[in-house]
Amino acid sequence: MTPRPKAAWSRYRNSIGDRSGMFGALARAWAPERALYPGSYVDLSPSTVIPAVTYVDTDRRAEAFFGDVDLVRAELHGRTVPGAGTEVEFLAADYTTALAVPDQGFDLLISLYAGPVWENCRRYLKPGGLLLANASHGDASLAALDPTLRLEAAVTHRGETYLLDTDRLDRYLVPKNPDGNRPELIRAAGRGVGYTRPAFAYVFAYAPAGNPGAAPPTGG
């Protein structure tokens, strides 16, 4: 029997597309140094522009991929900007339980198609840090209702070209059905609400109580 091909970012890109452009746009606007990516599978795209990224997943294929240091290096070779990809760490863990990472240890938290990352991992984000989330599992919808978060940009894309829209942000996150825009309903449904002007993802700045000036300026 022919062995099943090992999971790799290059193959994963063929199915989901290359998200490096999105992280490149985010890095140019805010230059995060340390990112946490729960539910990452083998998506290495943040490491193309961010110096240190900790990936988290329970999938054994992801564990095998990140455990092959030579393969990870080969996958990043020629695809990183200077200074990026210097620290690539992986935790084989369930992000809904306590992770072996420091509280407030990251300036970017990534939630893409992974479920309730924000509500389980907010403790690891620094005040003034950023949350990148999409609405597929309700994370961006819950973030939009969180008073400690402020929308900084909407991420739009066509193919693998990503743009950060920071103009008239009040056009975004407007629910088609306001009655369904409640945290308990979003959690129960496990998916985001429908918006009148949807985006691929959203960038929020974190300003917890007691740190009103913690959020960074709007990126450009």
Side-chain angles (χ1 to χ4, degrees), residues 73-92:
R73 288 175 178 168
E75 293 274 75
L76 287 175
H77 181 71
R79 304 186 70 91
T80 61
V81 301
T86 56
E87 294 182 33
V88 177
E89 298 183 356
F90 178 78
L91 297 178

Side-chain angles (χ1 to χ4, degrees), residues 130-146:
L130 300 173
L131 167 68
L132 171 69
N134 68 354
S136 65
H137 290 72
D139 217 17
S141 297
L142 290 171
L145 298 172
D146 190 325

Side-chain angles (χ1 to χ4, degrees), residues 151-187:
L151 182 64
E152 292 288 318
V155 181
T156 63
H157 78 113
R158 178 172 294 179
E160 294 180 357
T161 300
Y162 290 85
L163 298 173
L164 296 181
D165 187 357
T166 59
D167 183 42
R168 292 181 55 199
L169 291 176
D170 58 338
R171 297 175 297 166
Y172 292 98
L173 300 173
V174 178
K176 295 178 180 179
N177 176 18
D179 291 338
N181 194 35
R182 300 200 301 253
E184 66 275 14
L185 297 179
I186 296 169
R187 294 187 190 101

